[in-house]
Amino acid sequence: MNMDAKPPLDRLLAGYRRFRESGWTPHRDRWQQLGEGQQPEVMVIACSDSRVDPAQIFDVDPGEIFVVRNVAAMVPPFETTPGHHGVSAALEFAVQVLKVKEVLVLGHGLCGGCKAALTQELHGAEPGKGGFIANWIAMLDEAREPVVAQYGTKGREAERAMELAGVKVSLANLRSFPCVQAKEASGELTLRGAFFAISDGVLHVLDEKTGEFAPAN
Ligand SMILES: [Zn+2]
């Protein structure tokens, strides 16, 4: 039978049954322990893109990483304007309550959100018709300018430069949060940036001193 012919939820339920057999039952003690609480040491901010699941890329067990995923792996700046600040809430919880030691911003190749930021194709769209995305990725507008000046708005070179710049924007925005500033200054928290290139499966880690991303060993 063709797997693709099944409704998506049926395929997910088949996966769930595999998980119960191999991921849950043999690790019952671990799950019991997790039932008492979580103590992840790392928060990961990643893109919602279906190809870049941090738990899969880093091959971690449940309880190890606290994850926020959204369009283009963005952290908005510290803002106290009215609204529903989901990323800020998750960041606050991770840093202040869970006391994670590290926050990793994980960008990726072939990112649709970064591409839209680059082309600005959704500019002026209504909410529900691209407007929410346009507004969200407008956070990349400033970083976009030097990218466009150097590479234009089309092609992989321009896209990759935008994707890498996006990681740096999120890191800069993370540092606009007072709790992050204080904990980074005291050495309790480290911020990291990385980039996962989908097509070759290679993770690149940012060296903030040089601004360069280099393949991880
Ligand atoms: Zn993406």
Side-chain angles (χ1 to χ4, degrees), residues 131-214:
F132 285 119
I133 301 171
N135 184 49
W136 180 249
I137 58 176
M139 280 190 273
L140 292 169
D141 279 356
E142 210 180 304
R144 170 186 182 271
E145 286 173 29
V147 172
V148 173
Q150 192 170 358
Y151 302 105
T153 60
K154 288 197 166 61
R156 268 312 290 157
E157 235 183 349
E159 288 163 17
R160 182 151 173 143
M162 189 73 254
E163 289 154 2
L164 298 178
V167 173
K168 295 178 185 176
V169 170
S170 283
L171 287 171
N173 287 346
L174 273 170
R175 293 191 171 104
S176 69
F177 285 76
C179 62
V180 171
Q181 279 170 18
K183 293 209 173 196
E184 195 180 25
S186 69
E188 290 166 87
L189 184 69
T190 305
L191 305 187
R192 304 294 299 270
F195 173 88
F196 181 70
I198 290 178
S199 46
D200 60 11
V202 175
L203 184 78
H204 295 70
V205 178
L206 171 64
D207 178 344
E208 284 199 275
K209 287 195 192 84
T210 63
E212 299 295 321
F213 288 78

Coordinates of all heavy atoms in Angstrom, one line a residue, residues 131-214:
G131 N 0.1 39.0 5.6 CA 0.4 40.2 6.4 C 1.1 39.8 7.7 O 2.0 40.6 8.2
F132 N 0.7 38.7 8.3 CA 1.3 38.3 9.6 C 2.8 38.0 9.4 O 3.6 38.3 10.2 CB 0.6 37.2 10.3 CG -0.7 37.5 10.9 CD1 -1.9 36.9 10.5 CD2 -0.8 38.4 12.0 CE1 -3.1 37.3 11.1 CE2 -2.0 38.8 12.6 CZ -3.2 38.2 12.1
I133 N 3.0 37.3 8.3 CA 4.4 36.9 8.0 C 5.2 38.1 7.7 O 6.3 38.3 8.2 CB 4.4 35.9 6.8 CG1 3.6 34.7 7.0 CG2 5.9 35.6 6.4 CD1 3.5 33.8 5.8
A134 N 4.6 39.0 6.8 CA 5.4 40.2 6.4 C 5.7 41.0 7.7 O 6.9 41.5 7.8 CB 4.5 41.1 5.5
N135 N 4.8 41.2 8.6 CA 5.1 42.0 9.8 C 6.1 41.3 10.7 O 7.0 42.0 11.2 CB 3.8 42.1 10.6 CG 3.9 43.0 11.8 OD1 4.5 44.1 11.7 ND2 3.5 42.5 13.0
W136 N 6.1 40.0 10.7 CA 7.0 39.2 11.6 C 8.4 39.4 11.0 O 9.4 39.7 11.7 CB 6.6 37.8 11.6 CG 7.4 36.9 12.4 CD1 8.2 35.9 11.9 CD2 7.6 36.8 13.8 NE1 8.9 35.2 13.0 CE2 8.5 35.8 14.2 CE3 7.1 37.6 14.9 CZ2 8.9 35.5 15.5 CZ3 7.4 37.3 16.2 CH2 8.4 36.3 16.5
I137 N 8.6 39.1 9.7 CA 9.9 39.1 9.1 C 10.4 40.5 8.8 O 11.6 40.7 8.4 CB 10.0 38.2 7.9 CG1 9.0 38.7 6.8 CG2 9.8 36.8 8.2 CD1 9.1 38.0 5.5
A138 N 9.6 41.5 9.1 CA 10.1 42.9 8.9 C 11.2 43.2 10.0 O 11.9 44.1 9.9 CB 8.9 43.9 9.1
M139 N 11.3 42.3 11.0 CA 12.4 42.3 11.9 C 13.7 42.2 11.2 O 14.8 42.5 11.8 CB 12.2 41.2 13.0 CG 11.2 41.5 14.0 SD 11.3 40.3 15.4 CE 10.2 39.0 14.8
L140 N 13.7 41.7 10.0 CA 14.9 41.5 9.3 C 15.3 42.6 8.3 O 16.3 42.6 7.6 CB 14.9 40.2 8.5 CG 14.9 38.9 9.3 CD1 14.5 37.7 8.5 CD2 16.2 38.7 10.0
D141 N 14.4 43.6 8.3 CA 14.5 44.7 7.3 C 15.9 45.4 7.4 O 16.5 45.6 6.3 CB 13.4 45.8 7.5 CG 12.1 45.3 6.8 OD1 12.1 44.3 6.1 OD2 11.1 46.1 6.9
E142 N 16.3 45.7 8.6 CA 17.6 46.4 8.7 C 18.8 45.6 8.3 O 19.7 46.0 7.6 CB 17.8 46.8 10.2 CG 18.6 48.1 10.4 CD 18.7 48.4 11.8 OE1 17.6 48.5 12.5 OE2 19.8 48.6 12.3
A143 N 18.7 44.3 8.7 CA 19.8 43.4 8.3 C 19.8 43.1 6.8 O 20.8 42.7 6.2 CB 19.7 42.1 9.1
R144 N 18.7 43.3 6.2 CA 18.5 43.0 4.8 C 19.3 43.9 3.9 O 19.8 43.6 2.8 CB 17.0 43.1 4.4 CG 16.6 43.0 3.0 CD 15.1 43.3 2.8 NE 14.7 43.2 1.4 CZ 14.8 44.2 0.6 NH1 15.2 45.4 1.0 NH2 14.4 44.1 -0.7
E145 N 19.4 45.2 4.3 CA 20.0 46.2 3.5 C 21.4 45.9 3.0 O 21.6 45.9 1.8 CB 19.9 47.6 4.2 CG 18.5 48.1 4.2 CD 18.4 49.4 5.0 OE1 19.3 50.1 5.1 OE2 17.2 49.6 5.5
P146 N 22.3 45.6 3.9 CA 23.7 45.2 3.4 C 23.7 44.0 2.6 O 24.5 43.9 1.7 CB 24.5 45.1 4.7 CG 23.5 44.9 5.8 CD 22.3 45.6 5.4
V147 N 22.8 43.1 2.8 CA 22.7 41.8 2.0 C 22.3 42.2 0.6 O 22.9 41.7 -0.4 CB 21.7 40.8 2.7 CG1 21.5 39.6 1.7 CG2 22.2 40.3 4.0
V148 N 21.3 43.0 0.5 CA 20.8 43.4 -0.8 C 21.9 44.2 -1.6 O 22.1 44.0 -2.8 CB 19.5 44.2 -0.7 CG1 19.0 44.7 -2.1 CG2 18.4 43.2 -0.2
A149 N 22.5 45.1 -0.8 CA 23.6 45.9 -1.5 C 24.7 45.0 -2.0 O 25.2 45.3 -3.1 CB 24.1 46.9 -0.4
Q150 N 25.0 43.9 -1.4 CA 26.1 43.1 -1.8 C 25.6 42.0 -2.8 O 26.3 41.7 -3.8 CB 26.8 42.4 -0.6 CG 28.1 41.7 -1.0 CD 28.8 41.3 0.2 OE1 28.4 41.5 1.4 NE2 30.0 40.6 0.0
Y151 N 24.5 41.4 -2.6 CA 24.1 40.2 -3.4 C 22.8 40.4 -4.2 O 22.4 39.5 -5.0 CB 23.9 39.0 -2.5 CG 25.1 38.6 -1.7 CD1 25.2 38.9 -0.3 CD2 26.2 38.0 -2.3 CE1 26.3 38.6 0.4 CE2 27.3 37.6 -1.6 CZ 27.4 37.9 -0.2 OH 28.5 37.6 0.5
G152 N 22.0 41.5 -4.0 CA 20.8 41.6 -4.7 C 19.7 40.9 -3.9 O 19.9 40.5 -2.7
T153 N 18.5 40.7 -4.5 CA 17.4 40.1 -3.7 C 17.1 38.6 -4.2 O 16.2 38.0 -3.7 CB 16.1 40.9 -3.9 OG1 15.8 41.0 -5.3 CG2 16.3 42.3 -3.4
K154 N 17.9 38.1 -5.2 CA 17.6 36.8 -5.7 C 18.8 35.9 -5.7 O 19.9 36.4 -5.8 CB 17.0 36.9 -7.1 CG 15.5 37.4 -7.0 CD 14.8 37.1 -8.3 CE 13.3 37.3 -8.1 NZ 13.0 38.8 -7.8
G155 N 18.6 34.6 -5.6 CA 19.7 33.7 -5.7 C 20.1 33.1 -4.4 O 19.9 33.8 -3.4
R156 N 20.8 32.0 -4.4 CA 21.2 31.3 -3.2 C 22.2 32.2 -2.4 O 22.2 32.1 -1.2 CB 21.8 29.9 -3.4 CG 20.8 28.8 -3.4 CD 19.9 28.8 -2.2 NE 20.6 28.5 -0.9 CZ 20.2 28.9 0.3 NH1 19.1 29.6 0.4 NH2 20.9 28.6 1.4
E157 N 23.1 32.8 -3.1 CA 24.1 33.6 -2.3 C 23.4 34.7 -1.5 O 23.7 34.8 -0.3 CB 25.0 34.3 -3.3 CG 26.5 33.9 -3.0 CD 27.4 34.6 -3.9 OE1 27.0 35.3 -5.0 OE2 28.6 34.6 -3.6
A158 N 22.4 35.4 -2.1 CA 21.7 36.4 -1.3 C 20.9 35.8 -0.2 O 20.8 36.3 0.9 CB 20.8 37.2 -2.3
E159 N 20.2 34.6 -0.5 CA 19.4 34.0 0.4 C 20.2 33.5 1.6 O 19.8 33.7 2.8 CB 18.6 32.8 -0.2 CG 17.5 33.2 -1.2 CD 17.1 32.1 -2.1 OE1 17.4 30.9 -1.8 OE2 16.5 32.4 -3.1
R160 N 21.3 32.9 1.3 CA 22.1 32.4 2.4 C 22.7 33.5 3.3 O 22.7 33.4 4.5 CB 23.3 31.6 1.9 CG 24.2 31.0 3.0 CD 24.8 29.7 2.5 NE 25.8 29.2 3.5 CZ 25.9 27.9 3.8 NH1 25.2 27.0 3.1 NH2 26.8 27.5 4.6
A161 N 23.1 34.6 2.7 CA 23.5 35.8 3.4 C 22.4 36.3 4.4 O 22.7 36.7 5.5 CB 24.0 36.9 2.5
M162 N 21.2 36.3 3.8 CA 20.0 36.7 4.6 C 19.8 35.7 5.8 O 19.5 36.1 6.9 CB 18.8 36.8 3.7 CG 17.6 37.4 4.4 SD 17.7 39.2 4.6 CE 18.0 39.4 6.3
E163 N 19.9 34.5 5.5 CA 19.7 33.4 6.6 C 20.7 33.6 7.7 O 20.4 33.5 8.9 CB 19.8 32.0 5.9 CG 18.6 31.7 5.0 CD 18.9 30.7 3.9 OE1 20.0 30.1 3.9 OE2 18.0 30.4 3.1
L164 N 22.0 33.8 7.3 CA 23.0 33.9 8.3 C 22.8 35.2 9.1 O 23.0 35.3 10.3 CB 24.4 33.9 7.7 CG 24.8 32.6 6.9 CD1 26.2 32.8 6.3 CD2 24.8 31.4 7.8
A165 N 22.4 36.3 8.4 CA 22.2 37.6 9.0 C 21.0 37.5 10.0 O 21.1 38.1 11.1 CB 21.9 38.7 8.0
G166 N 20.1 36.6 9.7 CA 18.9 36.5 10.6 C 19.3 35.9 11.9 O 18.7 36.3 13.0
V167 N 20.2 35.0 11.9 CA 20.7 34.4 13.2 C 21.3 35.5 14.1 O 21.1 35.6 15.3 CB 21.8 33.3 12.9 CG1 22.4 32.8 14.3 CG2 21.2 32.2 12.2
K168 N 22.1 36.4 13.4 CA 22.7 37.5 14.2 C 21.6 38.5 14.7 O 21.8 39.1 15.8 CB 23.7 38.2 13.3 CG 24.9 37.3 13.0 CD 25.9 38.0 12.0 CE 27.0 37.0 11.6 NZ 27.9 37.6 10.7
V169 N 20.6 38.7 13.9 CA 19.5 39.6 14.4 C 18.9 39.0 15.6 O 18.6 39.8 16.6 CB 18.4 39.8 13.3 CG1 17.2 40.5 13.8 CG2 19.0 40.6 12.1
S170 N 18.6 37.8 15.6 CA 17.9 37.1 16.8 C 18.9 37.2 18.0 O 18.4 37.4 19.1 CB 17.5 35.7 16.5 OG 16.4 35.7 15.7
L171 N 20.2 37.0 17.8 CA 21.1 37.1 18.9 C 21.1 38.5 19.5 O 21.1 38.7 20.7 CB 22.5 36.7 18.5 CG 22.7 35.2 18.2 CD1 24.1 34.9 17.6 CD2 22.6 34.4 19.5
A172 N 21.1 39.5 18.6 CA 21.1 40.9 19.0 C 19.8 41.2 19.8 O 19.9 41.9 20.8 CB 21.3 41.9 17.8
N173 N 18.7 40.7 19.3 CA 17.4 41.0 19.9 C 17.4 40.2 21.3 O 16.8 40.8 22.3 CB 16.3 40.5 19.1 CG 16.0 41.5 17.9 OD1 16.6 42.6 17.9 ND2 15.2 41.1 16.9
L174 N 18.0 39.1 21.4 CA 18.1 38.4 22.7 C 18.7 39.3 23.7 O 18.3 39.4 24.8 CB 18.9 37.1 22.5 CG 18.1 35.8 22.1 CD1 19.1 34.7 21.8 CD2 17.1 35.4 23.2
R175 N 19.8 40.0 23.2 CA 20.6 40.8 24.2 C 19.8 42.1 24.5 O 20.3 42.9 25.3 CB 21.9 41.1 23.5 CG 22.8 39.9 23.4 CD 24.2 40.2 23.1 NE 25.0 39.0 23.3 CZ 25.5 38.2 22.2 NH1 25.2 38.5 21.0 NH2 26.2 37.1 22.5
S176 N 18.6 42.3 23.9 CA 17.8 43.5 24.3 C 17.0 43.2 25.5 O 16.4 44.1 26.1 CB 17.0 44.0 23.1 OG 16.0 43.1 22.8
F177 N 16.9 41.9 25.9 CA 16.2 41.5 27.1 C 17.0 41.7 28.4 O 18.1 41.1 28.5 CB 15.7 40.0 27.0 CG 14.6 39.8 26.1 CD1 14.8 39.8 24.7 CD2 13.3 39.6 26.6 CE1 13.8 39.6 23.8 CE2 12.2 39.4 25.7 CZ 12.5 39.4 24.3
P178 N 16.6 42.5 29.3 CA 17.4 42.8 30.5 C 17.8 41.5 31.2 O 19.0 41.4 31.7 CB 16.4 43.6 31.4 CG 15.5 44.3 30.5 CD 15.3 43.3 29.3
C179 N 16.9 40.5 31.3 CA 17.3 39.2 32.0 C 18.5 38.5 31.3 O 19.3 37.9 31.9 CB 16.2 38.3 32.3 SG 15.3 37.7 30.8
V180 N 18.5 38.6 30.0 CA 19.5 38.0 29.2 C 20.8 38.8 29.4 O 21.9 38.2 29.6 CB 19.1 37.9 27.7 CG1 20.3 37.5 26.8 CG2 18.0 37.0 27.5
Q181 N 20.7 40.1 29.3 CA 21.9 40.9 29.5 C 22.6 40.6 30.8 O 23.8 40.4 30.9 CB 21.5 42.4 29.5 CG 21.3 43.0 28.2 CD 20.6 44.4 28.3 OE1 20.6 45.0 29.4 NE2 20.1 44.9 27.2
A182 N 21.8 40.6 31.9 CA 22.3 40.4 33.2 C 23.0 39.0 33.3 O 24.1 38.9 33.9 CB 21.2 40.5 34.3
K183 N 22.3 38.0 32.8 CA 22.9 36.6 33.0 C 24.0 36.4 32.1 O 24.9 35.6 32.4 CB 21.8 35.6 32.7 CG 20.7 35.7 33.8 CD 20.0 34.3 34.1 CE 19.1 34.4 35.3 NZ 18.7 33.2 35.8
E184 N 24.1 37.1 30.9 CA 25.2 36.9 30.1 C 26.4 37.6 30.7 O 27.6 37.1 30.7 CB 25.0 37.5 28.7 CG 26.0 37.0 27.7 CD 25.8 37.6 26.3 OE1 25.2 38.7 26.1 OE2 26.3 36.9 25.3
A185 N 26.2 38.8 31.3 CA 27.3 39.5 32.0 C 27.8 38.7 33.1 O 29.0 38.7 33.4 CB 26.7 40.9 32.4
S186 N 27.0 38.0 33.9 CA 27.5 37.3 35.1 C 28.0 35.9 34.7 O 28.5 35.2 35.6 CB 26.3 37.1 36.1 OG 25.3 36.2 35.5
G187 N 27.9 35.6 33.4 CA 28.4 34.3 33.0 C 27.5 33.1 33.2 O 27.8 31.9 33.0
E188 N 26.3 33.4 33.7 CA 25.3 32.3 33.9 C 24.7 31.8 32.6 O 24.1 30.7 32.5 CB 24.1 32.8 34.8 CG 24.5 33.1 36.2 CD 23.4 33.9 36.9 OE1 22.5 33.3 37.5 OE2 23.5 35.1 36.9
L189 N 24.7 32.7 31.6 CA 24.1 32.3 30.3 C 25.0 32.6 29.1 O 25.7 33.6 29.1 CB 22.8 33.2 30.2 CG 21.9 32.9 29.0 CD1 21.2 31.5 29.1 CD2 20.8 34.0 28.8
T190 N 25.0 31.7 28.2 CA 25.8 31.9 27.0 C 24.8 31.9 25.8 O 23.9 31.1 25.7 CB 26.8 30.7 26.8 OG1 27.6 30.6 28.0 CG2 27.7 30.9 25.6
L191 N 25.1 32.8 24.9 CA 24.3 32.8 23.6 C 25.1 32.2 22.5 O 26.3 32.5 22.4 CB 23.8 34.2 23.3 CG 23.1 35.0 24.4 CD1 22.6 36.4 23.8 CD2 21.9 34.3 24.9
R192 N 24.4 31.4 21.7 CA 25.1 30.8 20.6 C 24.3 30.9 19.3 O 23.1 31.0 19.4 CB 25.4 29.3 20.8 CG 26.1 29.0 22.1 CD 27.6 29.5 22.1 NE 28.4 28.9 21.0 CZ 29.1 27.8 21.1 NH1 29.1 27.1 22.2 NH2 29.8 27.3 20.1
G193 N 25.0 30.9 18.2 CA 24.3 31.0 16.9 C 24.8 29.8 16.0 O 25.9 29.5 16.1
A194 N 23.9 29.2 15.3 CA 24.3 28.2 14.4 C 23.3 28.2 13.1 O 22.3 28.8 13.1 CB 24.2 26.8 15.1
F195 N 23.7 27.4 12.2 CA 23.0 27.4 10.9 C 23.1 25.9 10.4 O 24.2 25.3 10.3 CB 23.7 28.3 9.9 CG 23.2 28.3 8.5 CD1 22.1 29.1 8.1 CD2 23.8 27.5 7.6 CE1 21.7 29.1 6.8 CE2 23.3 27.4 6.3 CZ 22.3 28.2 5.9
F196 N 21.9 25.4 10.1 CA 21.9 24.0 9.5 C 21.6 24.1 8.0 O 20.5 24.6 7.6 CB 20.8 23.2 10.3 CG 20.7 21.8 9.8 CD1 21.7 20.9 10.1 CD2 19.6 21.4 9.1 CE1 21.6 19.6 9.7 CE2 19.5 20.1 8.6 CZ 20.5 19.1 8.9
A197 N 22.5 23.6 7.3 CA 22.4 23.6 5.8 C 21.6 22.3 5.4 O 22.2 21.2 5.6 CB 23.7 23.6 5.1
I198 N 20.4 22.4 5.0 CA 19.5 21.2 4.8 C 20.1 20.3 3.8 O 20.2 19.0 4.0 CB 18.1 21.7 4.3 CG1 17.4 22.3 5.5 CG2 17.3 20.5 3.8 CD1 16.0 22.9 5.2
S199 N 20.5 20.8 2.6 CA 20.9 19.9 1.5 C 22.1 19.0 1.8 O 22.1 17.8 1.4 CB 21.1 20.7 0.2 OG 21.9 21.8 0.5
D200 N 23.1 19.5 2.6 CA 24.2 18.6 2.9 C 24.2 18.2 4.4 O 25.1 17.4 4.8 CB 25.5 19.3 2.6 CG 25.8 20.6 3.3 OD1 25.0 20.9 4.2 OD2 26.7 21.3 2.9
G201 N 23.2 18.6 5.2 CA 23.1 18.2 6.5 C 24.2 18.6 7.5 O 24.4 18.0 8.5
V202 N 24.9 19.7 7.1 CA 26.0 20.2 7.9 C 25.6 21.3 8.8 O 25.0 22.3 8.3 CB 27.2 20.6 7.0 CG1 28.3 21.2 7.8 CG2 27.7 19.4 6.2
L203 N 25.9 21.2 10.1 CA 25.7 22.3 11.0 C 26.9 23.3 11.0 O 28.0 22.8 11.1 CB 25.5 21.7 12.4 CG 25.2 22.8 13.5 CD1 23.7 23.1 13.4 CD2 25.5 22.2 14.9
H204 N 26.6 24.6 10.9 CA 27.7 25.6 11.0 C 27.5 26.4 12.3 O 26.4 26.8 12.5 CB 27.6 26.5 9.8 CG 27.9 25.8 8.5 ND1 27.0 24.9 7.9 CD2 28.9 25.9 7.6 CE1 27.5 24.5 6.7 NE2 28.7 25.1 6.6
V205 N 28.5 26.6 13.0 CA 28.4 27.3 14.3 C 29.1 28.7 14.1 O 30.1 28.8 13.5 CB 29.2 26.5 15.4 CG1 29.1 27.3 16.7 CG2 28.5 25.1 15.5
L206 N 28.4 29.7 14.7 CA 28.8 31.0 14.5 C 29.9 31.3 15.6 O 29.8 31.1 16.8 CB 27.6 32.0 14.8 CG 27.9 33.5 14.9 CD1 28.5 34.1 13.6 CD2 26.7 34.3 15.3
D207 N 31.0 31.9 15.1 CA 32.0 32.5 16.0 C 31.7 34.0 16.0 O 31.9 34.7 15.1 CB 33.4 32.3 15.4 CG 34.5 32.9 16.2 OD1 34.2 33.7 17.1 OD2 35.7 32.5 16.1
E208 N 31.2 34.4 17.2 CA 30.7 35.9 17.2 C 31.9 36.8 17.2 O 31.7 38.0 16.9 CB 29.9 36.1 18.5 CG 28.5 35.5 18.3 CD 27.5 36.1 19.3 OE1 27.4 35.6 20.4 OE2 26.8 37.1 18.9
K209 N 33.1 36.4 17.5 CA 34.3 37.3 17.4 C 34.6 37.6 16.0 O 34.9 38.8 15.7 CB 35.5 36.6 18.0 CG 35.4 36.5 19.6 CD 36.8 36.2 20.2 CE 36.6 35.8 21.6 NZ 36.3 34.4 21.8
T210 N 34.4 36.7 15.1 CA 34.8 36.9 13.7 C 33.5 37.2 12.8 O 33.6 37.7 11.7 CB 35.5 35.7 13.0 OG1 34.6 34.6 13.1 CG2 36.8 35.4 13.8
G211 N 32.4 36.8 13.4 CA 31.1 36.9 12.6 C 30.9 35.8 11.6 O 30.0 35.8 10.8
E212 N 31.9 34.8 11.6 CA 31.8 33.7 10.6 C 31.2 32.5 11.1 O 31.3 32.2 12.3 CB 33.3 33.4 10.1 CG 34.0 34.5 9.5 CD 33.4 35.0 8.2 OE1 33.0 34.2 7.4 OE2 33.4 36.2 8.0
F213 N 30.5 31.8 10.2 CA 30.0 30.5 10.6 C 30.9 29.4 10.0 O 31.3 29.4 8.8 CB 28.6 30.3 9.9 CG 27.5 31.1 10.5 CD1 27.4 32.5 10.2 CD2 26.6 30.5 11.3 CE1 26.4 33.2 10.7 CE2 25.5 31.3 11.9 CZ 25.4 32.7 11.6
A214 N 31.3 28.4 10.8 CA 32.2 27.4 10.4 C 31.5 26.0 10.7 O 30.9 25.8 11.7 CB 33.5 27.5 11.1

